[in-house]
Amino acid sequence: LGTRRKESGDGRVTIRDVARASGVSVGTVSRALNGYPDVSEATRERIARFAREMDYTPAAAARTLVLERSHVIGAVLETGEGHPDLQHPFFHGVLVGLQERIGAAGYDLLLFASAGSGFGPDSYLRRCHHHSTDGVVLMGEPDPAEVERLMRSRIPCVGVDLVLDGGNASQVISDNVAGAAMAVAHLAELGHRRVATITGLLETRPARDRLTGYRQELQRRGLPYRDDYVVYGDYYPDSGTEAIASLLALEEPPTAVFCASDLMALGVLRGAAAAGVSVPEQLSVIGFDDIMVATHSDPPLTTLRQDKHGLGVATAEALLERIEGAEDATPARTLPVELIARGTCAPAAEPDR
Amino acid sequence: LGTRRKESGDGRVTIRDVARASGVSVGTVSRALNGYPDVSEATRERIARFAREMDYTPAAAARTLVLERSHVIGAVLETGEGHPDLQHPFFHGVLVGLQERIGAAGYDLLLFASAGSGFGPDSYLRRCHHHSTDGVVLMGEPDPAEVERLMRSRIPCVGVDLVLDGGNASQVISDNVAGAAMAVAHLAELGHRRVATITGLLETRPARDRLTGYRQELQRRGLPYRDDYVVYGDYYPDSGTEAIASLLALEEPPTAVFCASDLMALGVLRGAAAAGVSVPEQLSVIGFDDIMVATHSDPPLTTLRQDKHGLGVATAEALLERIEGAEDATPARTLPVELIARGTCAPAAEPDR
DNA sequence: CTGTTAGCGCTTTCAG
DNA sequence: CTGAAAGCGCTAACAG
């Protein structure tokens, strides 16, 4: 008896197979393999050996079902209208760090596309429940209503460059205001007094913070703040190109621009070239992120480096902390950014005019 | 009786709750919700209504357990030594398309880091079994031994830009040899006779194909092929910079270079600038991929566009086909590439010398 | 058309 | 120290 079901070719090897092979009950196998103390060393080893030889792999589904823990964490990358965020290099760096760190803790990453996509507008929350996700990380610009729903649930969340207010949520974020301030300071020290900024999407926390930092440092140094020196972008190259065109058309154009992303800075470089103004001689440019290609523009981009990998790792740790049930979880972590001076900034041509 | 377990606060709503609420058995709920024909419209609707109101979400784990189908597909992005492939822009485009298409079919994506990473060198195969993945897609440069193991299993696989020989595997790939040929043709038509190439990692199928295309077209046009015009790169920018330096140092340097990736082409642009040779006047450059930043280099990069999104979609479809059990699954799909002429190519300065 | 039942692979009391 | 048995949420025969 019992030989009926499993011997047929297809079969995955289950705990029962291991039990049968090692001549013990499934309960014992389970205990042995999960390191319970109440198993004799002898049996434990025998079981372990058989498990290895048979290449036994516990079925996650079964374990999830009984444990109510899946060891899967969901990653939500909301694709902003027309701009799949998955496309933005910044996120990849973060993903790598996240992946590494949770992988080391025995978790895997389930990638959620935008809620609207795919079959039916299933909310993230539903999808998390469906997969019994142990936690979620949110990146990009998720739908506020979705986020709200998630916050009301008891699923641990962490937002990357996102403000999350629920009790079960943490956030990790770069020090955007300090970064922006460093940019302005750098420019000011080069003698620039007319420094403009191209913002990111202002619905977005980092964009607002970067703008704040820009303003604060301007003020701290007694540099003039003008409304027409603030142009709104969307983080992507084209918006940079357009923005610089309008800035250059001003009666009194800026001598320096701080861009809220490298991609926009690249767009600026291009727009400047088109307009015949040379960087850095006639215009200093500074970006934000330090994506891979920043080194390879001409001239190479001066920028504020975000520790993308570190953000990913911090995200993982914030999440694990919550999952492991720390009630005193650190609600927010801020990572420093670093100014990388390359070739797009030069002393102001006319210190005074 | 029965009220005991579920009423307590925490509870997810299960099929049993829905059954109780709508006054039917769980079996009926299951059939109703899964669209079996043998349920009266009346009950089906009542059940559906309750399910919606209670925000019932079936537990994937339970369903996976019984159906032996998880509706999860695994994505393996092997991080080449020192170069996390997740970092290469090319893969993101593919991921987006893949994600979209399988999402539409009701599948989700599980992201596997490199086998080595994380806790223990668990093979991909084990991880797939563990999660009962319905299929796997392989990208980058996975460990051959791993691939071998996967091939021996019965899990449907598809490789992106990868040759997979198992019976349960398909592959989708850009027409790399045609693309390379188009590059050379373009250059030849501009009058270049001394055209070099910088290859990708030759362990990699696309790199070899691109080299082949380069050679073939050279030959077809009666242009000279010289060993010293072939420099080996690794797809990333720095290798391009180094390669162009050595090429420029040749006694008879090339007047044009075909690079097996945009990233390397960017590196070439930089190296050329450093060496004081102007692009495209003194050197024509052509890339491969058409990544986002290709438009924003100076000059903007002439390149061969790969349909990254299309590759992702095709990958998804190849996989779904296999999963749905088509024995006559198309083993390979090839997508065309397209020449995008931008600013890095110009007529050869000296048609003869 | 619907209820009942067995069982997916695993963990965890509870007895021995 | 180990076996037996119940049950996680769900689907799929099988009766009625």
Side-chain angles (χ1 to χ4, degrees), chain A residues 14-15 30 34 36 56 58-59 63:
Chain A
T14 79
I15 198 174
S30 175
N34 292 320
Y36 279 50
Y56 166 64
R63 193 177 260 168

Side-chain angles (χ1 to χ4, degrees), chain A:
Chain A
L1 76 159
T3 332
R4 202 175 74 258
R5 250 202 93 271
K6 262 312 157 190
E7 300 313 324
S8 46
D10 189 0
R12 291 188 35 150
V13 11
T14 79
I15 198 174
R16 206 144 51 226
D17 301 325
V18 178
R20 210 162 11 230
S22 25
V24 294
S25 71
V26 296
T28 303
V29 175
S30 175
R31 284 181 302 242
L33 262 23
N34 292 320
Y36 279 50
D38 54 353
V39 179
S40 83
E41 255 331 294
T43 28
R44 181 194 306 286
E45 268 173 18
R46 193 156 37 85
I47 291 172
R49 193 159 44 73
F50 274 107
R52 209 173 320 111
E53 277 171 13
M54 305 172 74
D55 195 36
Y56 166 64
T57 318
R63 193 177 260 168
T64 298
L65 198 51
V66 38
L67 259 13
E68 312 202 272
R69 286 278 259 86
S70 63
H71 281 266
V72 165
I73 86 111
V76 169
L77 287 215
E78 183 64 78
T79 109
E81 235 16 87
H83 279 312
D85 279 334
L86 234 193
Q87 213 97 277
H88 195 117
F90 169 76
F91 294 104
H92 307 311
V94 178
L95 263 187
V96 173
L98 175 60
Q99 167 76 280
E100 262 181 38
R101 185 62 185 82
I102 67 163
Y107 288 78
D108 278 304
L109 247 201
L110 196 58
L111 217 52
F112 291 141
S114 47
S117 107
F119 76 139
D122 252 353
S123 79
Y124 293 139
L125 180 54
R126 278 178 66 88
R127 292 163 82 172
C128 286
H129 273 150
H130 181 62
H131 288 287
S132 313
T133 331
D134 292 341
V136 209
V137 2
L138 296 168
M139 311 171 67
E141 337 158 36
D143 179 351
E146 289 284 357
V147 176
E148 172 63 16
R149 239 170 293 178
L150 231 23
M151 292 300 87
R152 271 200 301 269
S153 83
R154 54 175 60 252
I155 300 180
C157 293
V158 7
V160 181
D161 268 357
L162 227 48
V163 240
L164 257 31
D165 39 0
N168 57 335
S170 305
Q171 51 192 287
V172 1
I173 210 160
S174 277
D175 196 341
N176 290 302
V177 353
M182 288 165 71
V184 172
H186 184 64
L187 262 9
E189 271 154 23
L190 287 169
H192 292 276
R193 294 189 49 82
R194 306 209 305 258
V195 2
T197 190
I198 305 177
T199 73
L201 279 175
L202 287 183
E203 296 81 58
T204 248
R205 170 65 182 274
R208 280 176 309 216
D209 284 353
R210 259 102 103 159
L211 182 54
T212 306
Y214 161 83
R215 270 185 154 138
Q216 285 180 356
E217 190 63 17
L218 238 39
Q219 184 169 4
R220 223 171 59 77
R221 304 209 162 229
L223 294 184
Y225 169 82
R226 307 138 134 261
D227 281 338
D228 56 355
Y229 275 11
V230 177
V231 187
Y232 303 94
D234 66 2
Y235 289 124
Y236 286 83
D238 289 338
S239 69
T241 306
E242 288 162 23
I244 196 61
S246 78
L247 247 14
L248 255 20
L250 253 31
E251 209 166 308
E252 205 175 32
T255 64
V257 218
F258 161 57
C259 307
S261 80
D262 281 353
L263 250 22
M264 291 195 298
L266 257 25
V268 166
L269 256 34
R270 191 175 165 223
V277 340
S278 67
V279 174
E281 295 77 9
Q282 304 173 56
L283 179 72
S284 286
V285 177
I286 180 163
F288 209 107
D289 284 346
D290 194 31
I291 60 181
M292 180 194 286
V293 291
T295 337
H296 299 94
S297 62
D298 179 35
L301 203 58
T302 292
T303 190
L304 285 137
R305 172 179 298 166
Q306 292 199 66
D307 181 3
K308 295 163 280 303
H309 189 272
L311 285 168
V313 172
T315 301
E317 284 169 354
L319 202 49
L320 292 171
E321 189 181 74
R322 283 229 125 83
I323 292 174
E324 250 92 78
E327 272 317 325
D328 56 327
T330 352
R333 316 183 180 215
T334 304
L335 271 68
V337 304
E338 183 190 359
L339 179 78
I340 308 290
R342 287 195 273 247
T344 49
C345 292
E350 350 103 276
D352 223 334
R353 189 198 21 183

Side-chain angles (χ1 to χ4, degrees), chain B residues 186-193 255-256 278 280-284 343-351:
Chain B
H186 184 64
L187 262 8
E189 271 154 24
L190 287 170
H192 292 276
R193 294 190 49 84
T255 64
S278 67
E281 293 78 9
Q282 304 174 57
L283 180 72
S284 286
T344 49
C345 291
E350 348 103 276

Side-chain angles (χ1 to χ4, degrees), chain B residues 15 18-19 22-36 38-40 43-44 46-48:
Chain B
I15 199 175
V18 178
S22 25
V24 294
S25 72
V26 296
T28 303
V29 174
S30 175
R31 284 180 302 241
L33 261 25
N34 292 321
Y36 279 51
D38 56 353
V39 179
S40 83
T43 28
R44 183 195 302 287
R46 192 154 41 84
I47 291 172

